[in-house]
Amino acid sequence: MLAVLLISSVSSAETSPRGELEDFFGRVTAVLSVATNAKQARDDVRSLARALFDGPGAARRALGSDWELRTVAEREEFTRMFTGVVEQAYLEIVQSRLPRDRPLAIRIVGEDPIAERGTVVRTEVQGRYGSDMQLDYLMSRSGKGWLIRDIVIDGISLVENYRAQFARIFAHFILRRSGAAVADGGRCWDERVDRGAAEL
């Protein structure tokens, strides 16, 4: 099973963005070190990532001004779908590019303030073929802690990469929701949205 080695060049406070990430990586290490089932380990890591990811905030930014036009139920539905897609993309991209024959070494190389009371924590990971992969975690304060609002992998934002396509699909199904629900006897429209999301 894959092990994780965290290398931090600077000490961090417990409630700092860097500290939150170090705690996350530590929990991932603990999960992977005792895992005997690959699927269960993946599900556990996904649960840890979900707890640290600001899904509602990312979903709101993805819909933009349309967020205010949606009902509470529609906002919750879009948040669930959008968060699931971003989480899945993160895990698949990272898993496909990381080495499988040696411990994974994560280096936290910097932490810089950004707009909206946020911080970007910069990390580097040696990829499967020797080159370094850069993962920047954009984080915002939430209560007493910090949450991830976006992950930029080698310069590409996960949230921005999916927001336009996913928001367009969601808007399409919102417009047809009432009529479709009556026409098909009230069948759950989740199936339609999930099919649309799968096409992204």
Side-chain angles (χ1 to χ4, degrees):
M1 184 57 66
L2 183 67
V4 179
L5 175 62
L6 175 64
I7 303 172
S8 177
S9 59
V10 182
S11 61
S12 60
E14 198 173 295
T15 58
S16 71
R18 182 192 296 265
E20 295 280 7
L21 271 185
E22 289 179 340
D23 180 67
F24 167 69
F25 294 140
R27 291 174 182 270
V28 170
T29 299
V31 167
L32 297 179
S33 64
V34 299
T36 57
N37 181 289
K39 182 181 182 303
Q40 184 61 52
R42 182 183 178 89
D43 290 344
D44 290 344
V45 170
R46 183 167 186 165
S47 295
L48 291 173
R50 181 177 296 119
L52 190 58
F53 182 62
D54 181 14
R60 180 168 186 158
R61 286 189 294 275
L63 276 185
S65 59
D66 284 344
W67 180 266
E68 299 300 332
L69 304 178
R70 305 275 64 90
T71 66
V72 172
E74 290 168 350
R75 292 175 184 177
E76 291 176 348
E77 187 70 2
F78 180 75
T79 297
R80 179 186 68 81
M81 294 184 300
F82 188 73
T83 300
V85 167
V86 173
E87 288 172 355
Q88 185 70 16
Y90 170 68
L91 293 176
E92 289 185 355
I93 291 173
V94 171
Q95 185 177 42
S96 68
R97 297 177 60 181
L98 294 182
R100 298 177 180 176
D101 58 348
R102 58 186 182 277
L104 173 61
I106 301 172
R107 298 185 298 278
I108 297 181
V109 297
E111 179 179 347
D112 302 304
I114 53 178
E116 300 180 26
R117 297 177 62 234
T119 294
V120 56
V121 180
R122 307 186 189 282
T123 72
E124 290 182 351
V125 182
Q126 187 175 46
R128 182 173 301 179
Y129 303 108
S131 60
D132 284 342
M133 178 170 63
Q134 182 172 333
L135 292 92
D136 295 339
Y137 295 84
L138 279 64
M139 305 183 71
S140 298
R141 184 174 289 281
S142 175
K144 296 181 179 179
W146 293 79
L147 292 177
I148 296 170
R149 72 179 194 224
D150 195 3
I151 302 171
V152 180
I153 302 177
D154 286 341
I156 299 175
S157 160
L158 280 183
V159 170
E160 292 300 317
N161 190 47
Y162 286 97
R163 69 182 294 269
Q165 301 172 71
F166 210 81
R168 184 173 62 251
I169 288 173
F170 182 76
H172 170 71
F173 285 110
I174 282 292
L175 289 173
R176 298 183 56 186
R177 183 178 184 184
S178 298
V182 173
D184 66 13
R187 256 181 302 176
C188 181
W189 72 294
D190 281 357
E191 296 177 3
R192 297 186 181 83
V193 175
D194 289 341
R195 284 202 301 272
E199 296 172 1
L200 292 177

